Amino acid sequence: MVGGDALTVLGGTLSRVGSESRDWVRVGKSWVRSPSSTPWAVVHFVGGAGFGSAPQLCYDTLLSSVSERCGVVVVASP
């Protein structure tokens, strides 16, 4: 468990375990953001050169909106 926040697979669905923080959490070299509801999928965003080297900062508005509106976990990799 990283930073007191983790996801686990129970009965084929993702369930939240741990804190209720909705901010970006660093996991290895990637950044992870979870929605406020129980997520049903994971989206992997791969950045590039320039702005993509810090996707959790440069694309925060877009990726946070996708996470909340679609109810998915976003994994952002530089």
Side-chain angles (χ1 to χ4, degrees), residues 13-25:
T13 61
L14 289 172
S15 298
R16 177 170 303 286
V17 176
S19 72
E20 294 300 316
S21 174
R22 303 292 170 243
D23 295 328
W24 290 98
V25 176

Side-chain angles (χ1 to χ4, degrees), residues 5-73:
D5 191 23
L7 294 174
T8 185
V9 177
L10 296 173
T13 61
L14 289 172
S15 298
R16 177 170 303 286
V17 176
S19 72
E20 294 300 316
S21 174
R22 303 292 170 243
D23 295 328
W24 290 98
V25 176
R26 184 159 182 111
V27 179
K29 293 183 179 180
S30 298
W31 292 88
V32 178
R33 187 179 191 291
S34 299
S36 56
S37 60
T38 301
W40 64 275
V42 176
V43 172
H44 187 198
F45 179 85
V46 180
F51 292 124
S53 62
Q56 80 284 3
L57 299 175
C58 299
Y59 298 103
D60 179 52
T61 303
L62 171 68
L63 298 176
S64 296
S65 179
V66 167
S67 178
E68 286 302 321
R69 289 183 177 194
C70 298
V72 297
V73 172

